[in-house]
Amino acid sequence: MTSASISKKEVDFHNIFDLKDEKLLDDFTCACQTGTDLVAHHGRMYITYNYICFYSHIIGSYSKIIVISDITQLNKRNTAFVVPNALEIVTEKEKFCFTSFIFRDRTYELILTLWKKCRSPSLSRKEKRKSISIESKPPTLSGINLVQEQGEELSDACRKANSRSVTPQKSPVRLREMKDDIDLPSPNTETKFAITGSLPRLSHSTADLRELAQVGGRPAISDSP
């Protein structure tokens, strides 16, 4: 739109709606119908930074004002299931159906941009208030008891871990003392073993042994006992 057309339409807008501080951004020809309307009213949509306004004077005077920050849903719709020329705007109190757009997508993008800008500060304030309420919330008795129980369990676990003493390794000095206490034989000492018992006595004399050696190891048989 040219500056002259914007100025004329902005004058018309301010004459229809009591929004003197609002600057007109764009306007579109369309039709508006709500849940309580029997027919769609053909007229013009005016868009500012904070408001979506509609005015029709074909069947009497018909006007609607939507606060952009109050919008909860913004959807593209088709008329007769195939014609992409409609928008659905939903607020907490009412649902509006705008049809017969020539530039439906351009209208949608403009409203969507303004809606996001209006919602951003409110969302940040809500999140900030939520975080402050969470931080300032005093601890409950159950929470204190839970922390105490967890602290006691941790203390018990630490005491059990400390009670498991590890056997210290003996020092070399202590090992030498233990070695001295044990009377072990020296490696250079000859070990003598005593054999108890008596050996069998031989019945042959020295002469017999000599004779036995001469005849090849077979002793002579004696008749005497």
Side-chain angles (χ1 to χ4, degrees):
M1 294 186 298
T2 62
S3 59
S5 60
I6 292 176
S7 300
K8 182 180 182 301
K9 291 181 179 180
E10 190 166 5
V11 171
D12 295 338
F13 166 74
H14 288 146
N15 290 333
I16 298 170
F17 301 97
D18 188 15
L19 300 171
K20 303 300 183 182
D21 297 332
E22 291 295 319
K23 178 178 178 59
L24 182 64
L25 299 178
D26 210 339
D27 68 304
F28 304 92
T29 301
C30 63
C32 177
Q33 185 176 5
T34 63
T36 58
D37 297 330
L38 299 177
V39 295
H41 297 266
H42 289 269
R44 184 167 292 274
M45 175 187 286
Y46 301 91
I47 300 177
T48 68
Y49 284 105
N50 300 301
Y51 297 95
I52 299 172
C53 304
F54 179 83
Y55 178 74
S56 174
H57 58 86
I58 297 176
I59 307 176
S61 178
Y62 180 88
S63 62
K64 294 291 181 181
I65 298 178
I66 303 172
V67 182
I68 296 178
S69 59
D70 292 342
I71 296 175
T72 57
Q73 293 183 27
L74 176 63
N75 305 308
K76 294 181 180 181
R77 292 288 184 259
N78 297 337
T79 56
F81 300 100
V82 292
V83 182
N85 65 345
L87 289 177
E88 182 184 66
I89 299 176
V90 182
T91 65
E92 295 180 356
K93 297 180 180 180
E94 199 169 3
K95 181 169 69 175
F96 303 86
C97 183
F98 295 94
T99 60
S100 303
F101 280 103
I102 299 175
F103 306 103
R104 193 273 305 269
D105 291 342
R106 196 177 82 181
T107 309
Y108 173 82
E109 293 298 332
L110 177 58
I111 297 174
L112 181 62
T113 303
L114 296 172
W115 183 35
K116 288 181 178 179
K117 289 182 179 180
C118 290
R119 286 174 59 86
S120 298
S122 61
L123 288 177
S124 61
R125 286 195 298 270
K126 288 180 181 179
E127 292 176 357
K128 186 176 181 180
R129 287 197 299 268
K130 184 178 180 181
S131 62
I132 292 174
S133 62
I134 292 174
E135 293 176 357
S136 60
K137 185 178 180 181
T140 59
L141 182 60
S142 59
I144 295 175
N145 294 334
L146 179 60
V147 172
Q148 291 177 351
E149 292 176 359
Q150 292 178 350
E152 292 175 357
E153 293 178 358
L154 182 60
S155 300
D156 294 339
C158 293
R159 285 195 295 270
K160 290 180 180 179
N162 294 331
S163 63
R164 297 174 183 175
S165 59
V166 180
T167 304
Q169 296 182 355
K170 295 181 172 59
S171 62
V173 177
R174 179 57 181 164
L175 291 176
R176 286 196 296 270
E177 293 176 356
M178 293 176 64
K179 183 178 178 180
D180 296 339
D181 294 340
I182 301 174
D183 188 11
L184 295 177
S186 174
N188 299 325
T189 304
E190 295 182 358
T191 305
K192 298 180 180 180
F193 297 93
I195 301 175
T196 60
S198 61
L199 295 176
R201 298 180 62 183
L202 297 177
S203 61
H204 301 284
S205 63
T206 305
D208 294 335
L209 291 175
R210 291 176 181 175
E211 185 179 357
L212 180 63
Q214 292 177 1
V215 297
R218 295 181 62 85
I221 301 174
S222 176
D223 294 336
S224 63

